[in-house]
């Protein structure tokens, strides 16, 4: 398929939420799969709710996910003159008309429609009325002329043919009385002018699809192919909310998820390729097609995301992990102080990554587990670790200390040999020595292997921490 053009068109009224991120990913993958382009349009015609901060969050969220776009981002509000030009053309061609209905009249029409069980509320009272009847001093809204009877079919690449009775549709407003276009008009004009060939978006837009299709047809423009994807639900099947994970993309970054893991997880929310669960971005691009999108709602599952993220952390090279951690740390609580500690003890921190990444589920988890390597003396002792530093435990450390101090070479192998020899001489199980040793060295009850800890900290720091406890 040649000349495929998709678009991601978020409204900058808040963060880039997880559903929007998946929509962007699907559009990006479809365009890349077909060697086409994905465009980015900021739909900022709602001036009261649109903010520059939200625009920045959208850009940052997409970049963090590794989703790029072709060309410059288009801002819908900047195209206001073009939207008005199309509306004027529609008026001139009899495709639209001026409506002078007041707010009170519209309320009455909605109540009458509700009482009659109709979905369409506007009664088209100004559709064929003589403009000379217009009340003085009233600025009209502009409405599109839609077919009154018959059926409109929207061919959908996911949902199949979706049929709508035209009698259920309003002659909806395309230009407000204040001269600003409505979403329904602006999106059609922009998609046409930008050459969009495929519209991939949530199925909550299906009712918009029929209205926009009719505007395309009225203007004589080709209707893009449409694919409406089911929304994401929570694990309980209810509409996705903040408690389920309906957070901004930056929240997942701050929770320590890797972009590659997020892409992999998001692409599997509603799309599948056989039984493949873990896939590279290149594989996604190679395999992705809208025909693999199911019609049922997908369910967001934090446990699956965490498990997948753990796989990506475990299999990532250490350089990639360190770069991701360095990018994450400033966003964590007390991040600047944490960044300073990591910089101060960089060698020790770097040395912890290989031994910690095999069990970490998130980067935050990894950073927290590595806290022992960046702590300054005297280190803080957690409650679980303090319980191991009894008189007996401290006595074992005091007796072991001369054996460690006597080592000429300090590494994992030599310290292990010294500790094992000490335990053998005292007829102690290794754990009886290792547990208080770990508590004294890390301040934690759990850590990487104790001999890895001794190697990471080095002779001076290890002996200093042990002496701190005995003192």
């Amino acid at each position: 398929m040649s000349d495929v053009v998709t678009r991601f068109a978020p409204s900058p009224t808040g963060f880039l939420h997880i559903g929007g991120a998946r929509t962007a990913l699907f559009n990006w993958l479809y365009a890349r799969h077909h060697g086409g382009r994905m465009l980015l349009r900021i739909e900022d015609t709602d001036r009261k709710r649109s903010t520059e901060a939200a625009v920045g969050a959208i850009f940052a969220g997409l970049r963090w996910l590794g989703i790029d776009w072709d060309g410059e981002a288009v801002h819908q509000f900047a195209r206001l003159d073009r939207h008005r030009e199309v509306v004027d053309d529609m008026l001139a061609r009899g495709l639209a008309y001026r409506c002078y209905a007041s707010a009170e009249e519209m309320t009455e029409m909605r109540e009458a429609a509700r009482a009659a069980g109709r979905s369409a509320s506007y009664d088209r009272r100004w559709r064929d009325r003589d403009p000379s009847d217009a009340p003085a001093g009233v600025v009209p809204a502009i409405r599109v002329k839609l077919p009154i009877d018959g059926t409109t079919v929207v061919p959908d690449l996911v949902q199949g043919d979706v049929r709508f009775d035209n009698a259920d549709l309003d002659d909806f407003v395309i230009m407000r009385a204040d001269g600003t276009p409505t979403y329904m008009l602006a999106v059609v004009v922009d998609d046409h002018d930008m050459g969009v060939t495929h519209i991939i978006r949530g199925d909550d837009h299906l009712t918009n699809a029929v209205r926009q299709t009719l505007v395309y047809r009225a203007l004589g423009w080709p209707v893009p192919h449409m694919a409406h994807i089911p929304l994401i639900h929570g694990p309980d099947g209810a509409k996705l909310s903040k408690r389920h994970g309906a957070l901004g993309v930056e929240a997942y970054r701050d929770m320590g998820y890797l972009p590659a893991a997020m892409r992999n997880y998001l692409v599997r929310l509603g799309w599948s390729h056989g039984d493949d669960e873990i896939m590279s971005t290149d594989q996604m691009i190679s395999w992705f097609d809208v025909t693999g999108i199911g019609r049922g709602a997908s369910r967001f599952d934090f446990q699956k995301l965490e498990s997948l993220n753990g796989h990506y952390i475990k299999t990532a090279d250490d350089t990639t992990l360190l770069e991701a951690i360095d990018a994450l740390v400033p966003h964590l609580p007390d991040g600047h102080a944490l960044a300073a500690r990591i910089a101060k003890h960089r060698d020790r921190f770097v040395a912890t990554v290989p031994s910690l990444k095999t069990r970490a589920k998130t980067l935050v988890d990894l950073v927290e587990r590595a806290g022992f390597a960046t702590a300054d003396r005297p280190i803080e002792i957690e409650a679980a670790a303090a319980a191991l530093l009894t008189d007996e435990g401290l006595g074992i450390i005091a007796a072991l200390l001369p054996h460690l101090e006597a080592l000429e070479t300090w590494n994992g192998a030599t310290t292990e040999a010294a500790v094992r020899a000490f335990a053998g001489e005292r007829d102690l199980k290794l754990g009886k020595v290792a547990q208080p040793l770990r508590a004294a060295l890390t301040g934690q009850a759990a850590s990487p292997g104790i001999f890895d800890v001794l190697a990471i900290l080095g002779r001076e720091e290890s002996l200093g921490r042990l002496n701190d406890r005995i003192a």
Side-chain angles (χ1 to χ4, degrees):
M1 191 180 300
S2 60
D3 300 325
V4 165
V5 180
T6 65
R7 50 73 160 174
F8 178 52
S11 298
T13 55
F15 49 67
L16 175 62
H17 60 80
I18 206 69
R22 184 190 64 165
T23 298
L25 178 63
F26 280 11
N27 277 280
W28 184 78
L29 289 173
Y30 191 80
R32 296 293 177 263
H33 175 81
H34 290 289
R37 296 178 295 137
M38 188 193 86
L39 309 179
L40 177 62
R41 183 172 70 239
I42 305 299
E43 300 198 329
D44 54 357
T45 52
D46 186 343
R47 304 308 291 170
K48 292 182 179 178
R49 298 177 61 215
S50 299
T51 68
E52 286 302 317
V55 173
I58 290 168
F59 288 169
L62 291 174
R63 290 186 179 115
W64 177 77
L65 277 171
I67 297 175
D68 57 0
W69 55 94
D70 296 286
E72 296 292 325
V74 173
H75 288 260
Q76 193 169 62
F77 184 72
R79 292 176 44 78
L80 181 60
D81 289 343
R82 170 59 175 156
H83 301 146
R84 289 172 175 166
E85 175 187 293
V86 172
V87 171
D88 289 342
D89 177 60
M90 293 178 73
L91 285 169
R93 294 163 58 190
L95 304 174
Y97 59 95
R98 295 175 175 84
C99 172
Y100 295 87
S102 65
E104 293 76 12
E105 289 177 296
M106 287 305 305
T107 299
E108 292 172 2
M109 282 184 265
R110 278 191 290 271
E111 291 175 352
R114 193 178 300 114
R118 299 194 312 270
S119 56
S121 58
Y122 179 64
D123 61 11
R124 297 185 170 94
R125 64 183 55 184
W126 282 96
R127 180 181 174 111
D128 300 307
R129 196 165 170 181
D130 192 320
S132 63
D133 293 341
V138 176
V139 179
I142 311 299
R143 291 181 180 272
V144 65
K145 278 188 179 180
L146 296 186
I148 295 176
D149 50 28
T151 301
T152 297
V153 178
V154 177
D156 193 274
L157 298 172
V158 174
Q159 307 294 336
D161 287 349
V162 185
R163 299 177 181 276
F164 296 87
D165 290 332
N166 293 332
D168 293 334
L169 304 175
D170 282 311
D171 285 352
F172 56 87
V173 174
I174 56 175
M175 184 74 78
R176 302 180 186 89
D178 64 3
T180 59
T182 61
Y183 165 81
M184 214 64 69
L185 181 281
V187 73
V188 169
V189 176
D190 292 345
D191 282 340
H192 171 74
D193 289 0
M194 294 168 70
V196 172
T197 62
H198 291 74
I199 296 173
I200 304 172
R201 59 187 176 184
D203 63 7
D204 53 333
H205 282 280
L206 257 178
T207 53
N208 292 337
V210 63
R211 292 172 170 83
Q212 291 160 9
T213 294
L214 289 169
V215 174
Y216 274 109
R217 293 177 181 174
L219 289 165
W221 293 345
V223 183
H225 300 283
M226 297 189 184
H228 288 87
I229 55 182
L231 302 182
I232 302 172
H233 287 181
D236 55 2
K239 184 179 178 182
L240 193 65
S241 64
K242 287 186 177 181
R243 67 187 174 90
H244 294 127
L247 308 169
V249 168
E250 69 277 6
Y252 292 90
R253 175 202 65 196
D254 295 351
M255 287 187 283
Y257 293 99
L258 290 172
M262 287 300 301
R263 289 195 300 272
N264 194 157
Y265 183 73
L266 288 175
V267 79
R268 293 285 291 112
L269 281 178
W271 175 82
S272 62
H273 181 269
D275 295 327
D276 294 290
E277 291 287 343
I278 296 171
M279 56 190 78
S280 68
T281 301
D282 286 343
Q283 287 173 321
M284 292 180 212
I285 292 172
S286 176
W287 296 339
F288 187 83
D289 198 3
V290 292
T291 55
I293 298 174
R295 295 187 184 182
S298 51
R299 298 195 177 193
F300 191 92
D301 188 331
F302 258 117
Q303 287 186 328
K304 285 186 177 181
L305 171 58
E306 192 172 84
S307 176
L308 188 64
N309 197 60
H311 167 82
Y312 273 87
I313 289 176
K314 182 179 179 179
T315 57
D317 64 80
D318 297 343
T319 300
T320 298
L321 284 183
L322 287 166
E323 289 174 352
I325 289 169
D326 288 340
L328 166 68
V329 166
H331 301 285
L332 298 179
D334 199 26
H336 293 298
L338 177 57
R341 289 197 300 274
I342 291 175
K344 180 180 178 181
H345 304 295
R346 185 70 179 180
D347 290 344
R348 295 203 311 240
F349 182 81
V350 169
T352 65
V353 170
S355 57
L356 289 173
K357 72 179 186 180
T358 57
R359 294 185 179 182
K361 297 298 184 182
T362 67
L363 294 181
V364 171
D365 183 26
L366 194 155
V367 170
E368 289 176 347
R369 289 171 182 263
F372 77 89
T374 60
D376 289 318
R377 293 175 48 204
I379 64 171
E380 293 184 11
I381 306 295
E382 296 177 354
L388 299 171
L389 295 174
T390 60
D391 289 344
E392 180 185 12
L394 290 171
I396 289 173
I397 292 174
L400 171 64
L401 199 53
H403 295 259
L404 293 175
E405 291 173 334
L407 290 174
E408 294 182 3
T409 303
W410 187 282
N411 56 42
T414 58
T415 54
E416 180 177 1
V419 172
R420 288 186 181 278
F422 170 81
E425 292 170 6
R426 297 297 181 99
D427 197 23
L428 297 172
K429 290 184 178 180
L430 182 62
K432 194 72 171 178
V433 180
Q435 287 180 345
L437 189 58
R438 173 180 288 108
L441 289 171
T442 70
Q444 303 166 359
S447 73
I450 189 60
F451 308 117
D452 288 334
V453 170
L454 286 162
I456 288 167
L457 293 177
R459 174 196 293 273
E460 181 180 351
E461 184 70 16
S462 296
L463 296 177
R465 291 187 182 192
L466 295 177
N467 276 301
D468 288 343
R469 295 277 69 81
I470 295 170

